[in-house]
Amino acid sequence: MNLEITPPRALRGITRVPGDKSISHRAAMLGALAEGDTQIENFLMGADCLATVKCLAGMGVSFTGPDENGRLTVHGRGPAGLKEPENVLDAGNSGTTIRLMLGILAGLPFFTVITGDASLRRRPMKRVTAPLSRMGARIWGRQEASLAPLAVRGGELQGAGFSLPVASAQVKSALLLAGLSARGETRVAEPAPSRDHTERMLQYFGAEIHKEGLTVWIRGGQVLAGRRVTVPGDISSAAFLMVAAAVVPGSDVTIREVGVNPTRDGILEVLRAMGADLEIFNRHHLGGEPVADIRVRYSRLKGITIGGELIPRLIDEIPILAVAGALAEGELVVRDAAELKVKESNRIATVVGELRKFGVEVEALADGLRVRGGRPLTGALCESHGDHRIAMAMAVAGLVARGKTVIQDAGCVDVSFPGFAGILNTLRVD
């Protein structure tokens, strides 16, 4: 599927974005491990989250839904309710699915094989399989269990302490989920804060979690209880609309009930530092997560330098921030973001390559990129590289480029933002 974009006169209106991808994954997983039903509202109906549901169903978990409104009920029967799957589990393109599922599988006393699509089979897994093996899980796979497909024989885990070399919510979450099934205590220390949805949701489901500074720990053997979960709007999806409103002249867009978890709100900090006209209001909580309405109006942006501890709080938003940088005065420089090379695509290379098609002056750095803004953009023929965030970032660039922009293979957008093109169309003023 191709996506065609032409510049509107402005973007205006009030809208919502689909449920948060990270929280949707975790709600389904913890619901499966809990005793009793978990009712989820606004579950993200994207390919990644549906892959998680399919993997859990392959282990005997019963679901009602999801329906077209994102209502999903997980009929949990505790860890004992999960059974050895008859077939290989398929995580599709979802790194969250495979890495967090490895943490769950490590604690289950049966044999499982889990794999994914060609892109996922190239993504590094050693960062998860090595610490899980230290806890007692037996894991086999290509290149010494560093690449999928991976075979897991779980059970009989012993809690341990880990100091992660790089802040990673996926690695931390896998270890905490394994720790839930382990004897004793499992501790995870990070060099910088990463998103904390797993800790928040474990607490919401009744687990006792301890945190001191950048270290979090959990005691094994705790029983989770099914809960009602309303998933906030995904700030990573909202980021595309925020930047679009900030760069298209005359725009004024409000996005309702967006998750503003402080481990995820780096995009708000950066846009403000760039000079965006951004208002956050109606703050409240949904299922242990902070949410708010966000209003963004057009403004002239300026380039800044970002790096360090800010990067884990906006790692998924860097492609769209690069577009903002292309339309800002001065330079946007991103450092300490080498993790981008092992996402759904090498996002440093793909962002640089695609933005150059618009006439943007941009260069790759060893751990990030440099974008020189202020030059007019010309419509381009873009490739998504099978990466949903690249496709949407280039669509936003197309909103301010002269002529027509076409993004090829844009069906991947449905991974995280089903209905993206439709929402853009409802906000258009032509």
Side-chain angles (χ1 to χ4, degrees):
M1 181 196 88
N2 291 347
L3 177 59
E4 294 189 1
I5 301 289
T6 54
R9 192 159 57 86
L11 298 171
R12 292 180 190 157
I14 300 172
T15 191
R16 293 176 180 269
V17 292
D20 187 279
K21 186 156 74 83
S22 296
I23 296 172
S24 294
H25 280 299
R26 288 157 173 80
M29 290 181 185
L30 293 191
L33 294 172
E35 300 279 358
D37 286 357
T38 292
Q39 297 166 323
I40 307 172
E41 300 285 338
N42 201 34
F43 182 83
L44 175 62
M45 300 288 286
D48 279 13
C49 294
L50 293 176
T52 288
V53 170
K54 187 177 178 182
C55 285
L56 293 168
M59 292 188 288
V61 179
S62 177
F63 295 89
T64 300
D67 64 18
E68 65 276 5
N69 296 313
R71 295 189 187 93
L72 174 68
T73 300
V74 190
H75 304 292
R77 292 183 294 157
L82 277 68
K83 305 299 181 187
E84 183 171 278
E86 296 180 358
N87 209 337
V88 174
L89 301 182
D90 184 359
N93 187 240
S94 176
T96 302
T97 301
I98 193 168
R99 292 188 179 119
L100 269 62
M101 285 296 303
L102 285 168
I104 292 173
L105 294 171
L108 297 173
F110 51 69
F111 179 82
T112 310
V113 177
I114 187 166
T115 189
D117 67 9
S119 169
L120 191 61
R121 294 195 301 272
R122 292 192 296 269
R123 294 175 69 179
M125 297 296 151
K126 193 75 170 180
R127 61 182 69 177
V128 177
T129 60
L132 290 175
S133 297
R134 265 188 59 197
M135 295 177 72
R138 287 177 285 170
I139 305 175
W140 302 268
R142 293 184 301 132
Q143 295 186 22
E144 297 182 349
S146 63
L147 296 173
L150 295 163
V152 183
R153 175 68 169 127
E156 298 296 318
L157 297 185
Q158 178 63 51
F162 301 96
S163 182
L164 303 186
V166 176
S168 169
Q170 291 183 357
V171 177
K172 175 178 63 176
S173 297
L175 295 175
L176 291 175
L177 291 171
L180 197 61
S181 301
R183 293 187 301 274
E185 194 175 80
T186 298
R187 286 179 171 255
V188 184
E190 295 186 286
S194 67
R195 57 186 67 177
D196 65 355
H197 301 304
T198 300
E199 298 97 298
R200 287 174 179 265
M201 192 166 289
L202 279 166
Q203 287 181 316
Y204 186 65
F205 275 74
E208 190 176 324
I209 295 277
H210 302 276
K211 186 171 184 180
E212 186 176 293
L214 295 174
T215 301
V216 60
W217 62 97
I218 188 170
R219 175 177 46 80
Q222 300 186 63
V223 178
L224 306 182
R227 295 295 304 266
R228 181 182 294 274
V229 179
T230 300
V231 180
D234 196 324
I235 194 169
S236 296
S237 297
F240 297 99
L241 303 183
M242 287 190 275
V243 170
V247 300
V248 175
S251 294
D252 185 347
V253 173
T254 297
I255 313 163
R256 299 287 195 204
E257 289 197 324
V258 179
V260 288
N261 183 303
T263 64
R264 292 278 301 282
D265 66 354
I267 179 70
L268 303 177
E269 184 177 327
V270 169
L271 285 178
R272 277 182 165 153
M274 294 179 74
D277 183 351
L278 188 150
E279 179 186 359
I280 303 170
F281 60 101
N282 191 24
R283 291 180 180 269
H284 56 289
H285 281 75
L286 290 175
E289 290 280 349
V291 300
D293 297 343
I294 300 173
R295 183 182 185 185
V296 184
R297 286 169 281 202
Y298 168 75
S299 58
R300 295 179 66 85
L301 303 181
K302 63 180 184 293
I304 62 172
T305 297
I306 60 175
E309 293 187 3
L310 184 60
I311 295 300
R313 293 170 49 211
L314 49 62
I315 191 72
D316 287 336
E317 288 74 71
I318 289 173
I320 188 58
L321 282 175
V323 173
L327 297 159
E329 293 297 325
E331 285 188 349
L332 174 76
V333 180
V334 178
R335 306 306 302 253
D336 306 314
E339 176 74 10
L340 289 170
K341 296 179 180 179
V342 291
K343 288 289 187 176
E344 284 85 336
S345 66
N346 177 337
R347 285 184 178 158
I348 293 175
T350 53
V351 166
V352 168
E354 296 305 316
L355 282 182
R356 282 177 176 165
K357 295 177 181 179
F358 289 92
V360 176
E361 190 177 347
V362 55
E363 65 174 303
L365 306 175
D367 61 349
L369 45 83
R370 176 181 286 109
V371 187
R372 295 179 179 87
R375 297 172 62 175
L377 274 58
T378 303
L381 177 63
C382 297
E383 295 283 347
S384 73
H385 302 269
D387 188 327
H388 50 126
R389 302 201 195 278
I390 298 299
M392 289 185 281
M394 297 311 122
V396 172
L399 293 172
V400 289
R402 291 194 305 268
K404 182 169 71 174
T405 294
V406 177
I407 296 95
Q408 296 180 314
D409 187 25
C412 57
V413 166
D414 288 346
V415 163
S416 64
F417 200 157
F420 169 72
I423 288 177
L424 276 188
N425 284 334
T426 63
L427 295 174
R428 288 180 68 101
V429 178
D430 290 313

